[in-house]
Amino acid sequence: MKKRILEMLQKSSRPLSGPELSRELEVSRVAVWKHIDQLRQSGHEIESTAGGYRLVTVPDTPFPWLFGPRSALIHYYPELDSTMNRATELARAGCPSHTVVVADRQLQGRGRMQRQWDSGEGGLYFSIVVRPALPPRECPIINLAVALDLVATLARCCGITARVKWPNDLLVDGRKIAGILSQMEIEGDQVAFVNVGIGLNLNNEPEVADKPAVSALQLTGEKVNRAQVLADFLQRFETRMATFSRREVLRQWRERTVTLGRQVTITTLRDDCEGLAVDIDDEGGLIVELADGSRRTVFYGDCFHTL
């Protein structure tokens, strides 16, 4: 109902009265007023004039009612310890595939290797539950697919050209604009779910000491509507997963990466690996050519471009 009210106010060139909204929505004027009041409390500036209600500004907060038929799958929180923690709880409780947990702020946001993810106000922080019909060994490809769809969303919504860095980063001119983290749970030999956590620097100003970072606001000088960015990504990702093609994901990733052809250092919890990044294999592992000419496939770790 809130979404319908917002759509009517946005499309109208004049204020809309309570009786007009009541007739169109087939609810009482009191119900209309309650929804208007709730919209105001959530940050929408709606002016009451002699002619009726007029929408002045819309916040970029990703409230569930902004996502139409997808709204039941959106779980929004002003603040969470971690969207990934909450998504795991929902996944274990049997939530549908493509359930989304999104928060304005995370107190314990994390990236790879258990590093803290800076979750300053204005960024887009969310986790999505995926229940793919894929064998466990192929699920790392989902990370690559998410990265590709984020690249397309940044281009469409922000006019920003980002590139993908193995295994889970998006870069703009060498600076990190997004990070991806996934966790998989298996029941028997089947994938129960894969949770993908995304941190996207949009209207925030990230401060990351060890790696250069940047936001859409810093790149363009303009704020972007976070709800629209999330809606665009979810549509792309759901469409991709409905007709999932590992071959197509690998092809697109190779076209959009800044890692292949570079000298890299891969750091894992056990050891380091240095060499030339020559390709990725069918399961998303990075193939590195070592100094002695031999090749090693790495499936996880931090990747540093050295040349």
Side-chain angles (χ1 to χ4, degrees), residues 56-97:
V56 181
T57 60
V58 177
D60 73 339
T61 307
F63 295 115
W65 60 76
L66 297 175
F67 294 84
R70 193 180 286 113
S71 61
L73 298 175
I74 307 295
H75 298 254
Y76 163 75
Y77 300 87
E79 184 176 277
L80 274 179
D81 57 349
S82 161
T83 62
M84 188 70 90
N85 290 348
R86 181 60 181 140
T88 299
E89 294 172 356
L90 292 172
R92 289 173 178 169
C95 72
S97 188

Short mmCIF file of all heavy atoms in Angstrom, two decimals, residues 56-97:
data_model
loop_
_atom_site.label_atom_id
_atom_site.label_comp_id
_atom_site.label_asym_id
_atom_site.label_seq_id
_atom_site.Cartn_x
_atom_site.Cartn_y
_atom_site.Cartn_z
N VAL A 56 7.57 15.59 -1.58
CA VAL A 56 8.66 16.55 -1.75
C VAL A 56 9.99 15.82 -1.98
O VAL A 56 10.68 16.07 -2.96
CB VAL A 56 8.77 17.50 -0.54
CG1 VAL A 56 9.91 18.51 -0.75
CG2 VAL A 56 7.44 18.21 -0.30
N THR A 57 10.36 14.92 -1.07
CA THR A 57 11.60 14.16 -1.22
C THR A 57 11.37 12.72 -0.79
O THR A 57 10.49 12.42 0.01
CB THR A 57 12.74 14.75 -0.35
OG1 THR A 57 12.35 14.72 1.03
CG2 THR A 57 13.08 16.16 -0.78
N VAL A 58 12.20 11.84 -1.36
CA VAL A 58 12.15 10.41 -1.05
C VAL A 58 13.51 9.99 -0.52
O VAL A 58 14.54 10.25 -1.17
CB VAL A 58 11.81 9.59 -2.31
CG1 VAL A 58 11.81 8.09 -2.00
CG2 VAL A 58 10.45 10.00 -2.86
N PRO A 59 13.59 9.33 0.65
CA PRO A 59 14.89 8.87 1.14
C PRO A 59 15.39 7.69 0.30
O PRO A 59 14.62 7.05 -0.42
CB PRO A 59 14.56 8.43 2.57
CG PRO A 59 13.13 8.01 2.52
CD PRO A 59 12.48 8.94 1.52
N ASP A 60 16.67 7.43 0.41
CA ASP A 60 17.23 6.31 -0.36
C ASP A 60 17.28 5.03 0.47
O ASP A 60 17.88 4.05 0.07
CB ASP A 60 18.62 6.65 -0.89
CG ASP A 60 19.68 6.66 0.20
OD1 ASP A 60 19.32 6.79 1.39
OD2 ASP A 60 20.87 6.52 -0.13
N THR A 61 16.64 5.05 1.63
CA THR A 61 16.63 3.88 2.51
C THR A 61 15.91 2.72 1.82
O THR A 61 14.81 2.89 1.29
CB THR A 61 15.91 4.22 3.82
OG1 THR A 61 16.51 5.40 4.38
CG2 THR A 61 16.01 3.07 4.81
N PRO A 62 16.49 1.51 1.83
CA PRO A 62 15.88 0.37 1.13
C PRO A 62 14.77 -0.30 1.93
O PRO A 62 14.87 -1.45 2.34
CB PRO A 62 17.07 -0.58 0.91
CG PRO A 62 17.99 -0.28 2.05
CD PRO A 62 17.85 1.20 2.31
N PHE A 63 13.68 0.43 2.14
CA PHE A 63 12.53 -0.13 2.83
C PHE A 63 11.89 -1.24 1.98
O PHE A 63 11.82 -1.12 0.75
CB PHE A 63 11.49 0.94 3.12
CG PHE A 63 11.95 2.01 4.09
CD1 PHE A 63 12.10 3.32 3.68
CD2 PHE A 63 12.24 1.68 5.40
CE1 PHE A 63 12.52 4.30 4.55
CE2 PHE A 63 12.67 2.66 6.30
CZ PHE A 63 12.81 3.98 5.87
N PRO A 64 11.39 -2.30 2.61
CA PRO A 64 10.82 -3.42 1.83
C PRO A 64 9.72 -3.01 0.87
O PRO A 64 9.63 -3.56 -0.24
CB PRO A 64 10.30 -4.37 2.92
CG PRO A 64 11.19 -4.11 4.10
CD PRO A 64 11.47 -2.62 4.05
N TRP A 65 8.88 -2.06 1.26
CA TRP A 65 7.73 -1.73 0.41
C TRP A 65 8.13 -1.07 -0.91
O TRP A 65 7.31 -0.92 -1.81
CB TRP A 65 6.72 -0.84 1.15
CG TRP A 65 7.26 0.47 1.63
CD1 TRP A 65 7.51 1.58 0.88
CD2 TRP A 65 7.61 0.82 2.97
NE1 TRP A 65 7.99 2.59 1.65
CE2 TRP A 65 8.05 2.17 2.94
CE3 TRP A 65 7.57 0.15 4.18
CZ2 TRP A 65 8.48 2.84 4.09
CZ3 TRP A 65 7.99 0.82 5.32
CH2 TRP A 65 8.43 2.14 5.27
N LEU A 66 9.38 -0.70 -1.04
CA LEU A 66 9.85 -0.09 -2.28
C LEU A 66 10.15 -1.13 -3.36
O LEU A 66 10.42 -0.77 -4.50
CB LEU A 66 11.11 0.74 -2.03
CG LEU A 66 10.96 1.94 -1.09
CD1 LEU A 66 12.31 2.58 -0.85
CD2 LEU A 66 9.98 2.96 -1.67
N PHE A 67 10.08 -2.42 -3.01
CA PHE A 67 10.54 -3.47 -3.92
C PHE A 67 9.40 -4.29 -4.52
O PHE A 67 9.63 -5.35 -5.07
CB PHE A 67 11.53 -4.39 -3.19
CG PHE A 67 12.81 -3.69 -2.82
CD1 PHE A 67 12.89 -2.95 -1.66
CD2 PHE A 67 13.90 -3.74 -3.66
CE1 PHE A 67 14.06 -2.28 -1.32
CE2 PHE A 67 15.07 -3.07 -3.34
CZ PHE A 67 15.15 -2.34 -2.16
N GLY A 68 8.17 -3.77 -4.43
CA GLY A 68 7.04 -4.39 -5.13
C GLY A 68 6.86 -5.85 -4.78
O GLY A 68 6.86 -6.23 -3.61
N PRO A 69 6.73 -6.73 -5.80
CA PRO A 69 6.51 -8.16 -5.55
C PRO A 69 7.63 -8.82 -4.76
O PRO A 69 7.45 -9.89 -4.18
CB PRO A 69 6.42 -8.75 -6.97
CG PRO A 69 6.05 -7.60 -7.84
CD PRO A 69 6.71 -6.41 -7.24
N ARG A 70 8.79 -8.21 -4.74
CA ARG A 70 9.93 -8.77 -4.02
C ARG A 70 9.94 -8.36 -2.55
O ARG A 70 10.79 -8.81 -1.77
CB ARG A 70 11.23 -8.30 -4.70
CG ARG A 70 12.48 -9.03 -4.28
CD ARG A 70 13.72 -8.51 -5.00
NE ARG A 70 13.75 -8.93 -6.38
CZ ARG A 70 13.64 -8.12 -7.42
NH1 ARG A 70 13.49 -6.82 -7.22
NH2 ARG A 70 13.68 -8.58 -8.65
N SER A 71 9.01 -7.51 -2.12
CA SER A 71 9.07 -6.89 -0.79
C SER A 71 9.08 -7.91 0.34
O SER A 71 9.74 -7.69 1.37
CB SER A 71 7.90 -5.92 -0.60
OG SER A 71 6.66 -6.60 -0.70
N ALA A 72 8.38 -9.04 0.18
CA ALA A 72 8.33 -10.04 1.25
C ALA A 72 9.68 -10.69 1.49
O ALA A 72 9.92 -11.29 2.55
CB ALA A 72 7.30 -11.11 0.92
N LEU A 73 10.60 -10.57 0.54
CA LEU A 73 11.92 -11.17 0.66
C LEU A 73 12.96 -10.21 1.23
O LEU A 73 14.10 -10.61 1.48
CB LEU A 73 12.40 -11.67 -0.71
CG LEU A 73 11.57 -12.76 -1.38
CD1 LEU A 73 12.13 -13.06 -2.78
CD2 LEU A 73 11.56 -14.02 -0.53
N ILE A 74 12.57 -8.95 1.42
CA ILE A 74 13.51 -7.93 1.88
C ILE A 74 13.37 -7.75 3.39
O ILE A 74 12.29 -7.44 3.89
CB ILE A 74 13.28 -6.59 1.17
CG1 ILE A 74 13.29 -6.76 -0.35
CG2 ILE A 74 14.32 -5.57 1.63
CD1 ILE A 74 14.61 -7.20 -0.93
N HIS A 75 14.46 -7.93 4.11
CA HIS A 75 14.49 -7.72 5.56
C HIS A 75 15.43 -6.55 5.83
O HIS A 75 16.65 -6.68 5.74
CB HIS A 75 14.99 -8.98 6.27
CG HIS A 75 14.11 -10.18 6.07
ND1 HIS A 75 13.27 -10.67 7.06
CD2 HIS A 75 13.90 -10.97 4.99
CE1 HIS A 75 12.61 -11.71 6.60
NE2 HIS A 75 12.98 -11.92 5.35
N TYR A 76 14.83 -5.40 6.16
CA TYR A 76 15.61 -4.17 6.36
C TYR A 76 15.80 -3.87 7.85
O TYR A 76 14.87 -4.01 8.64
CB TYR A 76 14.92 -2.99 5.68
CG TYR A 76 15.44 -1.66 6.19
CD1 TYR A 76 16.70 -1.20 5.79
CD2 TYR A 76 14.71 -0.90 7.10
CE1 TYR A 76 17.20 0.00 6.29
CE2 TYR A 76 15.20 0.30 7.59
CZ TYR A 76 16.45 0.73 7.19
OH TYR A 76 16.94 1.91 7.68
N TYR A 77 17.01 -3.44 8.20
CA TYR A 77 17.33 -3.05 9.57
C TYR A 77 18.16 -1.76 9.53
O TYR A 77 19.10 -1.65 8.74
CB TYR A 77 18.16 -4.12 10.27
CG TYR A 77 17.48 -5.46 10.37
CD1 TYR A 77 17.58 -6.38 9.33
CD2 TYR A 77 16.73 -5.81 11.50
CE1 TYR A 77 16.96 -7.63 9.42
CE2 TYR A 77 16.11 -7.04 11.58
CZ TYR A 77 16.23 -7.95 10.54
OH TYR A 77 15.61 -9.17 10.62
N PRO A 78 17.83 -0.80 10.39
CA PRO A 78 18.70 0.38 10.49
C PRO A 78 20.12 0.00 10.93
O PRO A 78 21.10 0.60 10.48
CB PRO A 78 18.01 1.25 11.53
CG PRO A 78 16.58 0.80 11.52
CD PRO A 78 16.62 -0.66 11.23
N GLU A 79 20.21 -1.02 11.80
CA GLU A 79 21.52 -1.42 12.33
C GLU A 79 21.52 -2.90 12.67
O GLU A 79 20.54 -3.43 13.20
CB GLU A 79 21.85 -0.59 13.58
CG GLU A 79 23.22 -0.85 14.16
CD GLU A 79 23.51 0.08 15.33
OE1 GLU A 79 23.93 1.23 15.09
OE2 GLU A 79 23.29 -0.35 16.49
N LEU A 80 22.62 -3.57 12.33
CA LEU A 80 22.79 -4.99 12.64
C LEU A 80 24.25 -5.22 13.02
O LEU A 80 25.13 -4.43 12.67
CB LEU A 80 22.48 -5.87 11.43
CG LEU A 80 21.04 -6.30 11.16
CD1 LEU A 80 21.00 -7.14 9.89
CD2 LEU A 80 20.45 -7.09 12.32
N ASP A 81 24.49 -6.34 13.73
CA ASP A 81 25.88 -6.72 13.91
C ASP A 81 26.48 -7.08 12.55
O ASP A 81 27.56 -6.62 12.18
CB ASP A 81 26.03 -7.87 14.90
CG ASP A 81 25.23 -9.12 14.51
OD1 ASP A 81 24.41 -9.04 13.58
OD2 ASP A 81 25.45 -10.17 15.13
N SER A 82 25.76 -7.91 11.78
CA SER A 82 26.22 -8.32 10.46
C SER A 82 25.04 -8.83 9.67
O SER A 82 24.26 -9.65 10.17
CB SER A 82 27.28 -9.42 10.60
OG SER A 82 27.44 -10.13 9.40
N THR A 83 24.88 -8.38 8.45
CA THR A 83 23.80 -8.90 7.60
C THR A 83 24.01 -10.38 7.32
O THR A 83 23.05 -11.13 7.17
CB THR A 83 23.70 -8.13 6.27
OG1 THR A 83 24.91 -8.28 5.52
CG2 THR A 83 23.42 -6.65 6.52
N MET A 84 25.26 -10.82 7.26
CA MET A 84 25.54 -12.23 7.00
C MET A 84 25.06 -13.11 8.15
O MET A 84 24.51 -14.19 7.93
CB MET A 84 27.04 -12.43 6.77
CG MET A 84 27.40 -13.82 6.31
SD MET A 84 26.84 -14.19 4.63
CE MET A 84 28.26 -13.66 3.70
N ASN A 85 25.25 -12.64 9.38
CA ASN A 85 24.77 -13.42 10.53
C ASN A 85 23.27 -13.59 10.48
O ASN A 85 22.75 -14.70 10.70
CB ASN A 85 25.16 -12.73 11.84
CG ASN A 85 26.65 -12.79 12.12
OD1 ASN A 85 27.39 -13.52 11.47
ND2 ASN A 85 27.10 -12.00 13.08
N ARG A 86 22.55 -12.52 10.19
CA ARG A 86 21.09 -12.60 10.14
C ARG A 86 20.63 -13.45 8.97
O ARG A 86 19.68 -14.24 9.09
CB ARG A 86 20.50 -11.19 10.05
CG ARG A 86 18.97 -11.16 10.01
CD ARG A 86 18.38 -11.78 11.26
NE ARG A 86 16.92 -11.76 11.23
CZ ARG A 86 16.15 -12.75 11.65
NH1 ARG A 86 16.70 -13.86 12.15
NH2 ARG A 86 14.84 -12.65 11.59
N ALA A 87 21.29 -13.33 7.83
CA ALA A 87 20.93 -14.14 6.66
C ALA A 87 21.14 -15.62 6.94
O ALA A 87 20.35 -16.46 6.50
CB ALA A 87 21.75 -13.72 5.45
N THR A 88 22.18 -15.95 7.69
CA THR A 88 22.43 -17.36 8.05
C THR A 88 21.31 -17.89 8.94
O THR A 88 20.85 -19.03 8.75
CB THR A 88 23.78 -17.49 8.76
OG1 THR A 88 24.82 -17.06 7.86
CG2 THR A 88 24.05 -18.93 9.17
N GLU A 89 20.86 -17.08 9.88
CA GLU A 89 19.74 -17.49 10.73
C GLU A 89 18.49 -17.76 9.89
O GLU A 89 17.80 -18.77 10.09
CB GLU A 89 19.44 -16.40 11.77
CG GLU A 89 20.54 -16.20 12.80
CD GLU A 89 20.28 -14.99 13.67
OE1 GLU A 89 19.27 -14.28 13.43
OE2 GLU A 89 21.08 -14.74 14.59
N LEU A 90 18.20 -16.86 8.97
CA LEU A 90 17.02 -17.03 8.12
C LEU A 90 17.16 -18.24 7.21
O LEU A 90 16.20 -18.99 6.99
CB LEU A 90 16.80 -15.77 7.29
CG LEU A 90 16.39 -14.50 8.05
CD1 LEU A 90 16.41 -13.29 7.12
CD2 LEU A 90 15.01 -14.68 8.67
N ALA A 91 18.36 -18.44 6.67
CA ALA A 91 18.57 -19.58 5.76
C ALA A 91 18.39 -20.90 6.50
O ALA A 91 17.76 -21.83 5.98
CB ALA A 91 19.98 -19.50 5.15
N ARG A 92 18.92 -20.99 7.69
CA ARG A 92 18.79 -22.23 8.47
C ARG A 92 17.34 -22.46 8.90
O ARG A 92 16.95 -23.60 9.16
CB ARG A 92 19.71 -22.17 9.69
CG ARG A 92 21.18 -22.29 9.32
CD ARG A 92 22.08 -22.06 10.52
NE ARG A 92 23.49 -22.23 10.14
CZ ARG A 92 24.52 -21.90 10.92
NH1 ARG A 92 24.29 -21.34 12.11
NH2 ARG A 92 25.76 -22.09 10.51
N ALA A 93 16.56 -21.38 8.97
CA ALA A 93 15.14 -21.51 9.33
C ALA A 93 14.27 -21.81 8.12
O ALA A 93 13.06 -21.96 8.25
CB ALA A 93 14.66 -20.22 10.01
N GLY A 94 14.88 -21.90 6.92
CA GLY A 94 14.13 -22.30 5.74
C GLY A 94 13.60 -21.19 4.87
O GLY A 94 12.66 -21.40 4.10
N CYS A 95 14.17 -19.99 4.95
CA CYS A 95 13.67 -18.88 4.13
C CYS A 95 13.83 -19.18 2.65
O CYS A 95 14.67 -20.00 2.25
CB CYS A 95 14.39 -17.58 4.49
SG CYS A 95 16.10 -17.52 3.92
N PRO A 96 13.05 -18.54 1.78
CA PRO A 96 13.15 -18.79 0.33
C PRO A 96 14.47 -18.31 -0.25
O PRO A 96 15.13 -17.43 0.32
CB PRO A 96 11.97 -17.99 -0.25
CG PRO A 96 11.11 -17.64 0.90
CD PRO A 96 11.97 -17.58 2.11
N SER A 97 14.83 -18.87 -1.38
CA SER A 97 15.98 -18.37 -2.12
C SER A 97 15.75 -16.92 -2.51
O SER A 97 14.61 -16.50 -2.75
CB SER A 97 16.21 -19.22 -3.37
OG SER A 97 17.42 -18.88 -4.01
#
